[in-house]
């Protein structure tokens, strides 16, 4: 637009790679070529004159003026190194402040600082995409996972419908990671082969026949906001520096249980139609095992997608939210919160683009504020 083009930022070690996805099928948790965005890309392209980075520093408290609510400083602990409990406590101050430490850490820090909490919503409505996984082996042909992008396609048919009055919506990516997520393959396949006494050509043939047949589905379930799911703090739980650890209260309600139950039914139909032998196994001793409230004796193991949102939601007033439409704290007019914690709900799609849009909005609002003359 207007002759302006965007040049993708490459990997920090080589600008010639990492500008686009190279189909390594291993972008979780880290893209091997840095094609997936991370903060290092912004740091690489930023003007060093406008940016000061403090390493080995952990923020411990937001200091504020109780008379007007304005933030006066950020207190942090500068420690000697990983695992060390020796530190020097310091503060940094400025005109405006931004917390961008994730939905969990932002909420924890605010609670640990004893800031005003007019809405009582700091830490509340913690949400993620609850994940139910199914896996099996194709019988008719090899499908060769672990090649290409992490997901080749998805089934969006259950994003919306009248069923949502009974159970939550979901999306079903067809992942290209084989059984890596549910069964730690192919490492577990090697272990199983060795345990069966295989080695040499026999083990190689076993892996060549098994791994290319691994089929994996996962269902990311929409979760509704609930004040029962929240981040809290407790003086009993602190880290080596004496800072609070976040305490997570989280449960799977019946609305999501019904969704998992129906998603498993869809998976069973897909497996039958494609002639896939089902190896799905939900271990009742797994800490993440949930038994259905409506079908005692049966249940599933749920996982998290790492799409953590909520905890300092955006809203229309200080009575129902933590930040306003500009992502400015209602209780602290010179502090902004950035990140997925501002999201009031979580649909079936990943929150990445929403977080990016909100982050751009935060930046624009900060620039507008800085352009004003100091009163």
């Amino acid at each position: 637009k207007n002759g302006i083009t965007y040049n993708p930022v490459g990997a920090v070690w080589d600008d010639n790679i990492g500008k686009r996805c190279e189909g390594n099928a291993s972008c979780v948790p880290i893209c091997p070529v840095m094609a997936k965005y991370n903060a290092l890309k912004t740091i690489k392209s930023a003007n060093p004159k406008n940016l000061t980075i403090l390493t080995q520093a952990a923020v411990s408290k937001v200091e504020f003026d109780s008379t007007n609510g304005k933030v006066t400083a950020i207190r942090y602990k500068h420690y000697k190194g990983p695992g060390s409990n020796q530190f020097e406590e310091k503060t940094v101050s400025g005109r405006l402040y931004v917390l961008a430490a994730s939905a969990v850490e932002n909420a924890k820090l605010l609670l640990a600082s004893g800031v005003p909490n007019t809405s009582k919503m700091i830490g509340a409505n913690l949400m993620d995409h609850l994940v139910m996984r199914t896996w099996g082996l194709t019988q008719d042909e090899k499908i060769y996972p672990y090649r290409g992008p992490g997901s080749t396609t998805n089934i969006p048919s259950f994003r919306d419908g009248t069923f949502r009055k009974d159970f939550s919506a979901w999306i079903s990516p067809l992942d290209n990671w084989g059984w890596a997520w549910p069964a730690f393959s192919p490492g577990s396949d090697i272990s199983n082969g060795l345990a069966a006494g295989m080695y040499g050509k026999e083990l190689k043939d076993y892996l060549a026949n098994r791994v290319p047949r691994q089929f994996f589905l996962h269902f990311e379930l929409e979760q509704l906001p609930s004040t029962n799911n929240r981040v809290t703090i407790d003086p009993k739980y602190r880290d080596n520096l004496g800072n609070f650890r976040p305490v997570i209260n989280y449960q799977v309600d019946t609305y999501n249980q019904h969704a998992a139950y129906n998603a498993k039914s869809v998976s069973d139909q897909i497996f039958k139609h494609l002639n896939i032998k089902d190896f799905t196994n939900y271990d009742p001793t797994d800490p993440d095992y949930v038994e259905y409230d409506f079908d005692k004796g049966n249940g599933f193991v749920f996982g998290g997608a790492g799409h953590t949102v909520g905890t300092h939601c955006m809203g229309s007033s200080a009575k129902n939210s933590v930040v306003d439409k500009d992502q400015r704290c209602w209780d602290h007019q010179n502090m902004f919160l950035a990140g997925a914690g501002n999201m009031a709900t979580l649909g079936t799609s990943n929150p990445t683009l929403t977080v990016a849009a909100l982050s751009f909005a935060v930046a624009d609002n900060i620039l507008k504020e800085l352009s004003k003359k100091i009163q």
Side-chain angles (χ1 to χ4, degrees):
K1 184 179 179 180
N2 299 325
I4 300 174
T5 60
Y6 170 72
N7 293 318
V9 179
V12 295
W13 62 83
D14 185 349
D15 196 51
N16 294 312
I17 65 172
K19 292 185 176 181
R20 292 286 187 269
C21 174
E22 297 181 12
N24 288 282
S26 57
C27 57
V28 177
I30 299 174
C31 171
V33 297
M34 287 184 68
K36 186 169 68 172
Y37 173 78
N38 64 61
L40 291 175
K41 292 201 171 192
T42 297
I43 293 172
K44 179 182 179 180
S45 58
N47 186 339
K49 294 181 180 179
N50 301 327
L51 182 66
T52 300
I53 300 174
L54 298 177
T55 61
Q56 298 178 189
V59 175
S60 58
K61 187 178 182 180
V62 175
E63 297 186 347
F64 63 96
D65 187 333
S66 60
T67 62
N68 57 24
K70 285 191 174 182
V71 175
T72 57
I74 298 293
R75 185 171 293 277
Y76 67 94
K77 295 175 180 178
H78 193 227
Y79 59 96
K80 290 189 174 182
S84 173
N85 58 1
Q86 297 181 0
F87 60 86
E88 183 180 3
E89 199 161 23
K90 300 181 179 181
T91 60
V92 62
S93 59
R95 181 176 168 187
L96 298 177
Y97 299 82
V98 183
L99 295 185
S102 83
V104 172
E105 289 296 316
N106 275 356
K108 182 210 75 173
L109 183 58
L110 292 172
L111 292 170
S113 302
V115 301
N117 187 7
T118 303
S119 65
K120 308 300 180 187
M121 296 293 286
I122 296 177
N125 297 342
L126 175 66
M127 292 169 280
D128 190 2
H129 281 135
L130 287 167
V131 173
M132 191 204 70
R133 295 161 287 193
T134 62
W135 58 100
L137 288 179
T138 59
Q139 302 299 295
D140 297 332
E141 60 181 318
K142 296 178 179 179
I143 56 175
Y144 298 102
Y146 306 100
R147 298 183 180 184
S151 178
T152 51
T153 187
N154 65 74
I155 303 172
S157 307
F158 298 94
R159 281 182 167 180
D160 197 12
T162 57
F163 65 86
R164 293 180 71 188
K165 68 180 185 296
D166 300 315
F167 54 86
S168 66
W170 72 74
I171 190 171
S172 306
L174 273 70
D175 290 330
N176 215 17
W177 305 326
W179 292 1
W181 194 354
F184 194 60
S185 296
S188 59
D189 300 301
I190 296 173
S191 297
N192 292 336
L194 293 174
M198 301 179 189
Y199 62 93
K201 185 178 185 304
E202 184 183 14
L203 177 61
K204 182 179 179 180
D205 290 344
Y206 166 74
L207 296 174
N209 180 63
R210 184 179 179 85
V211 174
R213 297 181 183 276
Q214 292 179 354
F215 181 86
F216 173 60
L217 276 178
H218 85 267
F219 301 83
E220 295 183 8
L221 313 180
E222 174 188 23
Q223 187 173 37
L224 298 180
S226 169
T227 55
N228 292 324
N229 293 336
R230 62 167 60 233
V231 176
T232 62
I233 58 172
D234 189 318
K236 294 186 296 184
Y237 302 106
R238 295 179 182 265
D239 61 21
N240 289 341
L241 299 178
N243 292 340
F244 281 97
R245 296 180 185 272
V247 178
I248 308 298
N249 298 281
Y250 193 81
Q251 60 184 2
V252 183
D253 61 17
T254 302
Y255 187 64
N256 281 123
Q257 291 179 24
H258 276 280
Y261 184 86
N262 284 277
K264 182 60 169 65
S265 174
V266 170
S267 175
D268 291 343
Q269 295 174 61
I270 292 174
F271 279 32
K272 181 178 180 180
H273 181 75
L274 298 178
N275 192 24
I276 295 172
K277 184 177 180 180
D278 197 346
F279 279 78
T280 305
N281 177 49
Y282 303 131
D283 183 359
T285 65
D286 192 300
D288 292 325
Y289 182 84
V290 174
E291 186 176 279
Y292 297 120
D293 289 343
F294 51 88
D295 188 11
K296 297 299 181 182
N298 292 302
F300 71 103
V301 173
F302 74 89
H307 304 158
T308 312
V309 310
T311 72
H312 47 80
C313 67
M314 178 170 45
S316 58
S317 77
K319 294 181 179 180
N320 63 18
S321 55
V322 180
V323 298
D324 64 15
K325 62 181 179 62
D326 295 329
Q327 289 87 67
R328 185 198 303 264
C329 292
W330 290 108
D331 293 324
H332 311 288
Q333 288 300 296
N334 65 334
M335 184 167 73
F336 294 82
L337 302 183
N342 293 338
M343 294 175 63
T345 58
L346 175 65
T348 55
S349 297
N350 294 6
T352 308
L353 293 180
T354 303
V355 173
L358 291 174
S359 299
F360 279 122
V362 169
D364 286 342
N365 293 327
I366 289 173
L367 290 174
K368 290 177 183 178
E369 189 71 22
L370 291 175
S371 67
K372 297 178 182 178
K373 292 184 179 180
I374 300 177
Q375 301 296 324

PDB file of all heavy atoms in Angstrom, residues 33-48:
ATOM      1  N   VAL A  33      13.588 -23.231  12.223  1.00  0.00           N
ATOM      2  CA  VAL A  33      14.214 -22.203  11.377  1.00  0.00           C
ATOM      3  C   VAL A  33      13.712 -20.803  11.724  1.00  0.00           C
ATOM      4  O   VAL A  33      13.997 -19.851  11.024  1.00  0.00           O
ATOM      5  CB  VAL A  33      13.978 -22.485   9.877  1.00  0.00           C
ATOM      6  CG1 VAL A  33      14.635 -23.784   9.465  1.00  0.00           C
ATOM      7  CG2 VAL A  33      12.488 -22.479   9.548  1.00  0.00           C
ATOM      8  N   MET A  34      12.948 -20.692  12.808  1.00  0.00           N
ATOM      9  CA  MET A  34      12.413 -19.402  13.271  1.00  0.00           C
ATOM     10  C   MET A  34      11.477 -18.753  12.250  1.00  0.00           C
ATOM     11  O   MET A  34      11.393 -17.531  12.163  1.00  0.00           O
ATOM     12  CB  MET A  34      13.535 -18.431  13.654  1.00  0.00           C
ATOM     13  CG  MET A  34      14.222 -18.790  14.953  1.00  0.00           C
ATOM     14  SD  MET A  34      15.456 -17.574  15.455  1.00  0.00           S
ATOM     15  CE  MET A  34      14.417 -16.172  15.851  1.00  0.00           C
ATOM     16  N   ALA A  35      10.751 -19.565  11.484  1.00  0.00           N
ATOM     17  CA  ALA A  35       9.743 -18.992  10.593  1.00  0.00           C
ATOM     18  C   ALA A  35       8.539 -18.519  11.406  1.00  0.00           C
ATOM     19  O   ALA A  35       7.857 -17.575  11.012  1.00  0.00           O
ATOM     20  CB  ALA A  35       9.311 -20.034   9.569  1.00  0.00           C
ATOM     21  N   LYS A  36       8.288 -19.189  12.517  1.00  0.00           N
ATOM     22  CA  LYS A  36       7.201 -18.783  13.406  1.00  0.00           C
ATOM     23  C   LYS A  36       7.656 -17.569  14.215  1.00  0.00           C
ATOM     24  O   LYS A  36       8.785 -17.512  14.676  1.00  0.00           O
ATOM     25  CB  LYS A  36       6.821 -19.942  14.339  1.00  0.00           C
ATOM     26  CG  LYS A  36       5.603 -19.673  15.194  1.00  0.00           C
ATOM     27  CD  LYS A  36       5.114 -20.935  15.878  1.00  0.00           C
ATOM     28  CE  LYS A  36       6.068 -21.451  16.921  1.00  0.00           C
ATOM     29  NZ  LYS A  36       5.495 -22.560  17.700  1.00  0.00           N
ATOM     30  N   TYR A  37       6.752 -16.632  14.396  1.00  0.00           N
ATOM     31  CA  TYR A  37       7.137 -15.406  15.094  1.00  0.00           C
ATOM     32  C   TYR A  37       7.541 -15.672  16.540  1.00  0.00           C
ATOM     33  O   TYR A  37       6.950 -16.482  17.230  1.00  0.00           O
ATOM     34  CB  TYR A  37       5.993 -14.388  15.093  1.00  0.00           C
ATOM     35  CG  TYR A  37       6.333 -13.183  15.958  1.00  0.00           C
ATOM     36  CD1 TYR A  37       7.185 -12.195  15.479  1.00  0.00           C
ATOM     37  CD2 TYR A  37       5.873 -13.091  17.265  1.00  0.00           C
ATOM     38  CE1 TYR A  37       7.553 -11.122  16.271  1.00  0.00           C
ATOM     39  CE2 TYR A  37       6.235 -12.017  18.074  1.00  0.00           C
ATOM     40  CZ  TYR A  37       7.074 -11.048  17.575  1.00  0.00           C
ATOM     41  OH  TYR A  37       7.450 -10.008  18.379  1.00  0.00           O
ATOM     42  N   ASN A  38       8.572 -14.975  16.982  1.00  0.00           N
ATOM     43  CA  ASN A  38       8.869 -14.873  18.404  1.00  0.00           C
ATOM     44  C   ASN A  38       9.507 -13.513  18.642  1.00  0.00           C
ATOM     45  O   ASN A  38       9.856 -12.792  17.706  1.00  0.00           O
ATOM     46  CB  ASN A  38       9.760 -16.024  18.893  1.00  0.00           C
ATOM     47  CG  ASN A  38      11.128 -16.009  18.262  1.00  0.00           C
ATOM     48  OD1 ASN A  38      11.893 -15.062  18.412  1.00  0.00           O
ATOM     49  ND2 ASN A  38      11.444 -17.080  17.526  1.00  0.00           N
ATOM     50  N   ALA A  39       9.644 -13.149  19.906  1.00  0.00           N
ATOM     51  CA  ALA A  39      10.089 -11.796  20.249  1.00  0.00           C
ATOM     52  C   ALA A  39      11.481 -11.468  19.719  1.00  0.00           C
ATOM     53  O   ALA A  39      11.816 -10.294  19.526  1.00  0.00           O
ATOM     54  CB  ALA A  39      10.046 -11.609  21.759  1.00  0.00           C
ATOM     55  N   LEU A  40      12.299 -12.478  19.468  1.00  0.00           N
ATOM     56  CA  LEU A  40      13.645 -12.219  18.961  1.00  0.00           C
ATOM     57  C   LEU A  40      13.598 -11.507  17.608  1.00  0.00           C
ATOM     58  O   LEU A  40      14.499 -10.731  17.270  1.00  0.00           O
ATOM     59  CB  LEU A  40      14.427 -13.529  18.840  1.00  0.00           C
ATOM     60  CG  LEU A  40      14.815 -14.214  20.163  1.00  0.00           C
ATOM     61  CD1 LEU A  40      15.475 -15.559  19.884  1.00  0.00           C
ATOM     62  CD2 LEU A  40      15.754 -13.323  20.966  1.00  0.00           C
ATOM     63  N   LYS A  41      12.545 -11.774  16.835  1.00  0.00           N
ATOM     64  CA  LYS A  41      12.432 -11.115  15.530  1.00  0.00           C
ATOM     65  C   LYS A  41      12.195  -9.621  15.699  1.00  0.00           C
ATOM     66  O   LYS A  41      12.750  -8.802  14.956  1.00  0.00           O
ATOM     67  CB  LYS A  41      11.306 -11.746  14.718  1.00  0.00           C
ATOM     68  CG  LYS A  41      11.605 -13.175  14.280  1.00  0.00           C
ATOM     69  CD  LYS A  41      10.760 -13.584  13.100  1.00  0.00           C
ATOM     70  CE  LYS A  41      11.221 -14.913  12.540  1.00  0.00           C
ATOM     71  NZ  LYS A  41      10.625 -15.202  11.233  1.00  0.00           N
ATOM     72  N   THR A  42      11.365  -9.260  16.673  1.00  0.00           N
ATOM     73  CA  THR A  42      11.132  -7.839  16.934  1.00  0.00           C
ATOM     74  C   THR A  42      12.398  -7.179  17.467  1.00  0.00           C
ATOM     75  O   THR A  42      12.752  -6.064  17.059  1.00  0.00           O
ATOM     76  CB  THR A  42       9.988  -7.666  17.948  1.00  0.00           C
ATOM     77  OG1 THR A  42       8.784  -8.183  17.381  1.00  0.00           O
ATOM     78  CG2 THR A  42       9.785  -6.199  18.304  1.00  0.00           C
ATOM     79  N   ILE A  43      13.083  -7.876  18.356  1.00  0.00           N
ATOM     80  CA  ILE A  43      14.321  -7.325  18.923  1.00  0.00           C
ATOM     81  C   ILE A  43      15.358  -7.103  17.824  1.00  0.00           C
ATOM     82  O   ILE A  43      16.070  -6.097  17.804  1.00  0.00           O
ATOM     83  CB  ILE A  43      14.872  -8.263  20.015  1.00  0.00           C
ATOM     84  CG1 ILE A  43      13.915  -8.276  21.212  1.00  0.00           C
ATOM     85  CG2 ILE A  43      16.268  -7.838  20.453  1.00  0.00           C
ATOM     86  CD1 ILE A  43      14.268  -9.305  22.253  1.00  0.00           C
ATOM     87  N   LYS A  44      15.425  -8.051  16.884  1.00  0.00           N
ATOM     88  CA  LYS A  44      16.399  -7.960  15.796  1.00  0.00           C
ATOM     89  C   LYS A  44      16.148  -6.730  14.927  1.00  0.00           C
ATOM     90  O   LYS A  44      17.088  -6.067  14.474  1.00  0.00           O
ATOM     91  CB  LYS A  44      16.347  -9.232  14.945  1.00  0.00           C
ATOM     92  CG  LYS A  44      17.321  -9.223  13.774  1.00  0.00           C
ATOM     93  CD  LYS A  44      17.195 -10.492  12.950  1.00  0.00           C
ATOM     94  CE  LYS A  44      18.152 -10.478  11.763  1.00  0.00           C
ATOM     95  NZ  LYS A  44      18.040 -11.691  10.945  1.00  0.00           N
ATOM     96  N   SER A  45      14.884  -6.423  14.687  1.00  0.00           N
ATOM     97  CA  SER A  45      14.556  -5.319  13.777  1.00  0.00           C
ATOM     98  C   SER A  45      14.363  -3.989  14.503  1.00  0.00           C
ATOM     99  O   SER A  45      14.158  -2.959  13.849  1.00  0.00           O
ATOM    100  CB  SER A  45      13.276  -5.653  12.998  1.00  0.00           C
ATOM    101  OG  SER A  45      12.202  -5.889  13.891  1.00  0.00           O
ATOM    102  N   ALA A  46      14.415  -3.993  15.836  1.00  0.00           N
ATOM    103  CA  ALA A  46      14.189  -2.758  16.597  1.00  0.00           C
ATOM    104  C   ALA A  46      15.435  -1.876  16.605  1.00  0.00           C
ATOM    105  O   ALA A  46      16.563  -2.352  16.450  1.00  0.00           O
ATOM    106  CB  ALA A  46      13.786  -3.106  18.024  1.00  0.00           C
ATOM    107  N   ASN A  47      15.221  -0.604  16.811  1.00  0.00           N
ATOM    108  CA  ASN A  47      16.325   0.341  16.951  1.00  0.00           C
ATOM    109  C   ASN A  47      16.903   0.196  18.353  1.00  0.00           C
ATOM    110  O   ASN A  47      16.217   0.458  19.344  1.00  0.00           O
ATOM    111  CB  ASN A  47      15.824   1.772  16.733  1.00  0.00           C
ATOM    112  CG  ASN A  47      16.952   2.794  16.732  1.00  0.00           C
ATOM    113  OD1 ASN A  47      18.042   2.545  17.252  1.00  0.00           O
ATOM    114  ND2 ASN A  47      16.690   3.955  16.160  1.00  0.00           N
ATOM    115  N   PRO A  48      18.150  -0.231  18.475  1.00  0.00           N
ATOM    116  CA  PRO A  48      18.730  -0.453  19.806  1.00  0.00           C
ATOM    117  C   PRO A  48      18.777   0.801  20.673  1.00  0.00           C
ATOM    118  O   PRO A  48      18.862   0.709  21.899  1.00  0.00           O
ATOM    119  CB  PRO A  48      20.138  -0.970  19.493  1.00  0.00           C
ATOM    120  CG  PRO A  48      20.431  -0.497  18.104  1.00  0.00           C
ATOM    121  CD  PRO A  48      19.117  -0.506  17.397  1.00  0.00           C
TER     122      PRO A  48
END
